[in-house]
Amino acid sequence: MNDQRWIAETIEKIREKISWVSEKNKDKIPYTTNEDGSYDDRSDAAKKWSIDDGLNWWTNGFWGGIMWLLYQDTKDKRYIDIARSCEKKLERTFADFYGLHHDVGFMFVPTAVADYRITGNTEARKAALHAANLLAGRFNPQGNYIRAWNDLPGQDTRGWAIIDCMFNISLLYWASKETGDPRYRHIAMRHADSVMEYFVRKDGSSIHIGEFNPETGVFVRSHGGQGCGEGSAWTRGQGWALYGFVNSYTNSGKEEYLDTAKKVAHYCIASIPESGIIPVDFRQPVEPALEDSCGACVIAGGLIELAKYVPDVEKPIYLRPAVKILKAITETRADWSRNCDAIVQNCSAAYHDSRHHFTMVYADYFYIEAIYKLNNTGILMW
Ligand code: GLY
């Protein structure tokens, strides 16, 4: 089947699946599916203090993001209603404050920023700017990094920055463009510069967690984080780096960010297995054969985005592996049936977790986003 036909057929399947899944789960904010295949709900305000399953859970923006992606495609206003219901719930986290973290970008870019960009909703703009201020407040000018997480039991995380934050800073770039105030962009670029210097290794792979001395700003060490170990290459982290540096280039125009995105992309392309099925860590042992379809979709999205900024002759270098990954997901790791609310199967949150090969709402988000990108009908999200 040629690629255009495959993309068109996949979009049809996405429309069909999300149509009933969204109706069934319209009052929830899902993260994963339960044993019976139905989505769980992270929007329980009573659990707002829990880092694991409360309203402030870091993936809570992706359900709304899926709704905006489907709205831009179908113009079905039902998707706006569900996205706004999710957005309103997320706004409640501002009042509590303590539960919020570096992932306010992941929470509010695909919800409030998307709403404002698509509909001009000024209430959404206000919420997104509020979130941007919270994120900017996490910046440490000693070390030039945005602090990850809050106090974790038994860990001093004051000096921790993580590769994932390359996505959160899109919120800061947006806030500068929106307000004309360059402070947010300066913070985003200083953070990106530090990540470029200390996170991206010479071979193009990226560490997950970098630790700075929070008083002096001196870089101390890396941590394995959600990957296999220190010195490894957590695949979703490679995706956050690759796609995140493309976003930083698009938002700032700084060429070194594009070069860095290419460097990480080349490392990823060289590491993609023949099957197109992506492991949890590119440096994990052969057995157990743990997979992460979510990291796969993030990498694919980054490769497609990167292809936009290279000469025509170079585009296939990035598009071919992206299509390979997405076809592997579509043909072997996607559930189009009514037995499961999620599409993308076999995701893993972290290499050392006891649980693997389950569904994660952000895998569906990045899968759908990537397919629309391939179709040239996506919206600017990050
Ligand atoms: N941002 C955390 C993760 O990718 O799991």
Side-chain angles (χ1 to χ4, degrees), residues 242 246 258 261-262 265 301-310 318:
L242 153 58
V246 184
L258 187 63
K262 284 184 190 169
L303 291 170
I304 301 166
E305 201 58 30
L306 176 54
K308 291 183 187 164
Y309 304 104
V310 300
Y318 305 106

Side-chain angles (χ1 to χ4, degrees), residues 58 103 106 164 226 234 236 240 349 362:
W58 78 274
D103 282 327
F106 277 123
D164 327 27
Q226 284 161 257
W234 175 45
R236 199 159 62 252
W240 297 140
Y362 56 123

Side-chain angles (χ1 to χ4, degrees), residues 285-349:
V286 176
E287 293 294 338
L290 301 178
E291 301 172 19
D292 181 26
S293 304
C294 182
C297 295
V298 178
I299 290 172
L303 291 170
I304 301 166
E305 201 58 30
L306 176 54
K308 291 183 187 164
Y309 304 104
V310 300
D312 283 354
V313 65
E314 291 179 22
K315 290 188 194 301
I317 297 173
Y318 305 106
L319 289 176
R320 254 194 245 122
V323 169
K324 178 182 175 131
I325 290 172
L326 292 169
K327 279 193 173 167
I329 297 279
T330 307
E331 282 152 23
T332 69
R333 298 294 183 268
D335 187 328
W336 302 107
S337 76
R338 290 197 173 237
N339 298 331
C340 182
D341 289 354
I343 298 172
V344 180
Q345 310 291 307
N346 285 23
C347 303
S348 294

Side-chain angles (χ1 to χ4, degrees), residues 40-86:
D40 69 349
D41 183 13
R42 302 281 161 144
S43 66
D44 184 350
K47 289 183 181 167
K48 61 181 176 281
W49 298 107
S50 161
I51 191 157
D52 287 334
D53 52 10
L55 193 51
N56 52 32
W57 176 234
W58 78 274
T59 68
N60 277 356
F62 291 108
W63 176 241
I66 292 173
M67 298 303 114
W68 286 116
L69 290 175
L70 267 291
Y71 172 70
Q72 60 81 29
D73 175 33
T74 63
K75 299 294 174 290
D76 183 343
K77 292 205 164 46
R78 208 169 46 84
Y79 291 122
I80 298 191
D81 295 339
I82 303 171
R84 290 236 172 100
S85 147
C86 169

